[in-house]
Amino acid sequence: MIEKDIDEQIKWAKINADVLRSMENPRRAYWITFFICIAMMACAVTAEIYQYNTGMGVTNLNNPHMWDMYIATFVFWIGMSHSGTLLSAILHIIHADWRKPIYRFAEAMTTFSLMTAGFFPMIHLGRVWNLYWVLPYVSDRGHWPNFRSPLVWDAFAISTYLSASMLFLFIGMIPDLAICRDNARGWRRKIYTVLSLGWVGSDRQWRNFRKTYLLMACFLIPLAVSVHSIVSSDFAMSIMPGWHVTSFPPYFVAGALYSGCAAIITLFVMLRYYFRFEEYMTVAIMEKTAKLTFAIAMVWTYLNLIEFASTWYGHDIYAKELLIAKATGPYAWIFWTMLFCGMVVPFALAVEKFRRHMPTMFVVSLLLNLSMYFERWMIVAPTLSMAHDPHQWYIEWPSIVQWAIVFGSFGWFGLLFLVFVKVFPSVSMYEVKEMVFHRRRLVNENAAKEYSRRASDRKGAGGTPELKGA
Amino acid sequence: MSKRYRIKALFSDFEEAFAALSDIRHSKVPGVSIDDVKLNSPIEHPEIEEVLGERPVHIPKLTLAGATFGLVFGFLFLASAQATFLVQPQGGKPVIPLPSNFVLVYEMLIFFGVWTTFFAFLFMSGLFRKRGNLYSEKVSLDQIGVIVEADEAQRDKLKSLFKTHKSLEIREEEIQ
């Protein structure tokens, strides 16, 4: 028997009540996580102040390791941002309605991941105050930024993606903000009144809303692909061994979708527990998310193997030497952990028993993202350690300052996310109502068809129709 | 001159609301046209909206305009910025490199397309208005509202039509 994604008999008033209640009284675990995130952020702020006052030397960033953990983390967070695009935009276009109870927090993840990623180029610069140099403006000498540079492309792409994903998140929330407005009191009511923009659910508003949301989704999908392709260009446009790889853009996009899906599973389990969302974030929806993640994991695995094979059979001796060094050198434990967690662990997602067990899914999703983080590290660091000039070969590990800032970035992301789910509905109420409405109608239609089929069978047999619970 | 009213009926049964709209569409209430009808619904409801007839949405045209502007502006902006390098030696590289500009123009196309869509949605959806006396919070919960503008002569007929279709509540206001 096929398990239902959601109970279609659930009352609409209950949907409103459950989601609105989640914004009022989460479990204690929510507050514990909240304060842990603040503590993590405090670590990062302290480290950044120290780095700012002392200089970049405290990070261990030095020739040839000019890029390191900061850039790996930047790529990681950009990748994470693909969750919302996948779950919301792609599944919206293909009418996969099981996404409806979980897409809101995935969209929020997209926005907050980008906001977190945006910090790293600034931190990495050292001279934070010169960040505006990448913006397209003319300097007092009449010079513009170098538009041929992938770093400038990054600035364009990420700012476009950030603004588009924020608008996508906001537009999708307007009907829910109107529900919040109608049910809230005090300061919350004032905020929701402003943010809901006078939404009354008129047919004109819904018609425009439907079209707008679809158009935004259509823009967001190629945008997401372009953003991570451009991030891959930061590496692939160079001639460094291990970076100058044709398959980098799809490899990056697959990795991004992979880490985004894994993060959705992590947050799915957490929100389900914190807000008692068992009726909305159901096991059936988790199963579908897990299967999707498994499929993407296999794509990522394939692209990894392709990259290894093309390096192995290619004629670039530097790239081949680097590949051997990755598997046998000082970074080998990271390399093999990455491969194990990214290629072997996802097979747990193919086992139904594991897919239906939330704690297992939580651990698996963390391992998958560990693999994705290591993947980014393995892209950035080994190439710099073993570039073309053997005189420059040097292994360098990040200092505690880098660790603290990276650690804190997870706190910052967590904090933004936790504040969001407390202030805004983390489950889309109107979309869940639609899902329930259409499924209920489908059940009734099927029951009516079954009834008429049995009736005609009985008539043929000369009896009277009988149907229980039609 | 007869007074004109705005009458709103709330239904909990969507099929009944659909039937009431069909009756109006088929001129069961003389003098009231389907064009005078508006809906308030808690969910997207394309099936019920079909009864209202074809009502155009102009947002895609504006989106196309915005995206086209992004494309043209993006290219001209980059090309004019790069043209300042005409006075400098380029070492054989093109002054206006098309492959790298393509990436940025693509981003600008999306950037302007997205923002135009957003502003078009804001201005074409009848937002930023007072909700009015007829607004019911139940519409954001689980009821559907049918609003009709009609003359005094049709007021009672409309109300009885709504009652026939089991409306839960009827509200009205005089249009100034």
Side-chain angles (χ1 to χ4, degrees):
Chain A
M1 188 183 149
I2 298 170
E3 193 178 354
K4 291 174 183 173
D5 291 333
I6 197 164
D7 176 16
E8 69 270 356
Q9 299 305 332
I10 196 166
K11 296 273 182 276
W12 287 14
K14 182 174 160 43
I15 296 170
N16 274 16
D18 286 348
V19 177
L20 294 172
R21 194 192 56 226
S22 75
M23 293 151 65
E24 298 289 336
N25 85 37
R27 284 182 200 260
R28 188 183 292 174
Y30 170 90
W31 293 110
I32 294 171
T33 319
F34 186 84
F35 287 110
I36 289 172
C37 288
I38 290 181
M40 289 165 76
M41 244 187 77
C43 290
V45 171
T46 310
E48 170 59 19
I49 291 170
Y50 176 62
Q51 178 185 307
Y52 184 89
N53 283 326
T54 318
M56 289 301 281
V58 297
T59 59
N60 284 1
L61 284 172
N62 206 343
N63 200 19
H65 274 271
M66 302 313 292
W67 286 5
D68 215 20
M69 211 171 177
Y70 290 152
I71 297 301
T73 313
F74 162 73
V75 179
F76 174 79
W77 283 116
I78 292 286
M80 191 82 94
S81 70
H82 282 48
S83 56
T85 315
L86 172 74
L87 209 77
S88 196
I90 299 178
L91 296 183
H92 173 72
I93 283 176
I94 61 169
H95 299 289
D97 77 341
W98 59 268
R99 71 183 245 291
K100 289 181 175 175
I102 57 169
Y103 81 89
R104 174 70 48 75
F105 76 79
E107 283 179 9
M109 266 177 64
T110 295
T111 304
F112 300 142
S113 305
L114 286 168
M115 288 166 74
T116 311
F119 276 121
F120 280 93
M122 289 192 245
I123 295 168
H124 172 79
L125 269 180
R127 299 175 188 171
V128 183
W129 53 95
N130 286 337
L131 180 79
Y132 68 96
W133 284 4
V134 295
L135 299 177
Y137 85 108
V138 61
S139 73
D140 48 8
R141 290 185 181 180
H143 284 213
W144 289 81
N146 180 9
F147 294 117
R148 291 191 184 97
S149 163
L151 301 181
V152 175
W153 302 353
D154 264 348
F156 274 74
I158 292 169
S159 52
T160 303
Y161 193 31
L162 181 61
S163 59
S165 65
M166 283 170 91
L167 292 178
F168 192 54
L169 173 66
F170 175 63
I171 288 173
M173 253 192 334
I174 291 174
D176 277 349
L177 291 170
I179 297 175
C180 295
R181 172 199 65 202
D182 292 346
N183 290 279
R185 290 195 184 85
W187 64 271
R188 278 184 182 257
R189 189 180 177 93
K190 285 179 189 162
I191 290 178
Y192 297 137
T193 302
V194 173
L195 291 178
S196 60
L197 309 174
W199 178 270
V200 291
S202 69
D203 54 291
R204 178 182 168 189
Q205 289 176 344
W206 279 119
R207 261 195 314 278
N208 284 300
F209 176 83
R210 194 160 53 236
K211 196 61 89 179
T212 304
Y213 200 71
L214 182 66
L215 287 168
M216 296 292 270
C218 292
F219 274 124
L220 217 62
I221 295 166
L223 179 59
V225 173
S226 77
V227 168
H228 224 50
S229 304
I230 286 173
V231 171
S232 78
S233 301
D234 293 346
F235 304 94
M237 291 282 173
S238 72
I239 53 164
M240 299 285 274
W243 286 359
H244 192 60
V245 180
T246 315
S247 64
F248 251 29
Y251 177 56
F252 268 57
V253 173
L257 293 174
Y258 190 10
S259 63
C261 270
I264 286 171
I265 293 175
T266 311
L267 293 175
F268 183 113
V269 177
M270 288 170 78
L271 287 183
R272 183 182 145 103
Y273 176 73
Y274 288 161
F275 297 135
R276 304 171 180 89
F277 276 153
E278 287 82 359
E279 283 177 282
Y280 307 99
M281 299 180 183
T282 58
V283 174
I285 293 177
M286 170 59 95
E287 279 218 83
K288 287 187 168 126
T289 315
K291 286 175 186 169
L292 185 67
T293 310
F294 179 66
I296 296 169
M298 292 304 103
V299 173
W300 180 83
T301 302
Y302 170 75
L303 287 167
N304 246 313
L305 297 176
I306 281 289
E307 193 200 326
F308 298 157
S310 55
T311 305
W312 191 259
Y313 291 107
H315 298 292
D316 185 348
I317 52 164
Y318 298 100
K320 193 169 175 180
E321 197 68 24
L322 181 68
L323 181 62
I324 294 167
K326 278 180 182 177
T328 56
Y331 297 121
W333 67 273
I334 301 178
F335 180 76
W336 291 110
T337 310
M338 172 195 96
L339 292 186
F340 177 76
C341 294
M343 292 181 180
V344 181
V345 171
F347 279 91
L349 303 173
V351 181
E352 189 183 354
K353 194 176 170 186
F354 291 149
R355 284 200 307 264
R356 303 181 65 81
H357 190 244
M358 293 295 156
T360 307
M361 289 305 294
F362 185 71
V363 174
V364 167
S365 67
L366 291 179
L367 288 175
L368 299 185
N369 258 326
L370 179 72
S371 160
M372 288 299 101
Y373 191 85
F374 281 174
E375 180 215 16
R376 275 62 188 246
W377 171 262
M378 288 308 294
I379 289 169
V380 176
T383 291
L384 295 170
S385 304
M386 289 186 67
H388 290 109
D389 183 4
H391 288 96
Q392 284 206 323
W393 286 4
Y394 183 61
I395 302 293
E396 184 60 81
W397 295 95
S399 72
I400 188 77
V401 174
Q402 282 202 63
W403 277 103
I405 289 177
V406 169
F407 180 65
S409 73
F410 288 87
W412 162 251
F413 172 81
L415 195 66
L416 285 174
F417 188 79
L418 290 174
V419 170
F420 175 83
V421 294
K422 187 82 175 63
V423 178
F424 298 106
S426 49
V427 170
S428 169
M429 290 179 270
Y430 71 96
E431 293 238 46
V432 172
K433 286 176 188 171
E434 269 172 36
M435 186 181 175
V436 167
F437 177 78
H438 292 298
R439 289 187 177 218
R440 199 183 297 162
R441 213 167 59 164
L442 197 67
V443 168
N444 291 341
E445 279 172 10
N446 288 342
K449 276 183 198 162
E450 180 68 11
Y451 180 80
S452 60
R453 188 185 64 78
R454 287 194 195 180
S456 60
D457 287 353
R458 289 275 176 179
K459 269 184 188 169
T464 49
E466 283 174 25
L467 185 74
K468 285 176 186 170
Chain B
M1 192 180 154
S2 70
K3 289 179 183 171
R4 200 159 167 78
Y5 288 88
R6 195 175 286 128
I7 301 161
K8 177 171 187 170
L10 286 173
F11 298 85
S12 62
D13 187 341
F14 281 33
E15 299 298 327
E16 290 292 349
F18 185 81
L21 287 170
S22 295
D23 284 351
I24 294 171
R25 182 166 192 85
H26 296 109
S27 309
K28 293 270 172 76
V29 184
V32 177
S33 151
I34 196 72
D35 297 332
D36 302 324
V37 179
K38 286 175 188 162
L39 272 180
N40 282 164
S41 171
I43 60 171
E44 258 185 86
H45 226 309
E47 300 91 341
I48 289 191
E49 284 170 26
E50 274 176 23
V51 189
L52 300 176
E54 193 72 21
R55 292 187 178 179
V57 177
H58 298 292
I59 292 176
K61 291 173 201 159
L62 293 167
T63 302
L64 180 65
T68 311
F69 173 79
L71 184 90
V72 175
F73 169 79
F75 182 76
L76 292 178
F77 168 68
L78 293 172
S80 57
Q82 286 156 340
T84 58
F85 289 111
L86 275 171
V87 294
Q88 294 176 340
Q90 289 293 307
K93 291 178 185 168
V95 176
I96 298 168
L98 292 182
S100 63
N101 281 7
F102 171 78
V103 177
L104 296 177
V105 168
Y106 182 80
E107 296 300 324
M108 288 207 197
L109 180 152
I110 293 177
F111 183 84
F112 282 97
V114 162
W115 278 99
T116 314
T117 309
F118 177 66
F119 283 116
F121 169 70
L122 293 188
F123 291 114
M124 306 197 76
S125 305
L127 297 167
F128 304 112
R129 290 181 188 168
K130 281 194 172 180
R131 273 163 278 157
N133 298 329
L134 293 185
Y135 179 73
S136 169
E137 292 174 356
K138 289 170 188 165
V139 167
S140 68
L141 182 62
D142 55 1
Q143 293 180 10
I144 186 163
V146 176
I147 305 166
V148 186
E149 287 187 13
D151 291 331
E152 198 169 10
Q154 285 91 34
R155 190 168 62 149
D156 291 335
K157 286 178 195 161
L158 268 174
K159 281 185 181 176
S160 71
L161 176 80
F162 290 145
K163 279 176 190 163
T164 315
H165 290 291
K166 299 175 190 164
S167 71
L168 300 175
E169 187 185 335
I170 297 175
R171 297 179 185 185
E172 64 176 1
E173 69 176 1
E174 194 179 325
I175 302 172
Q176 298 298 323

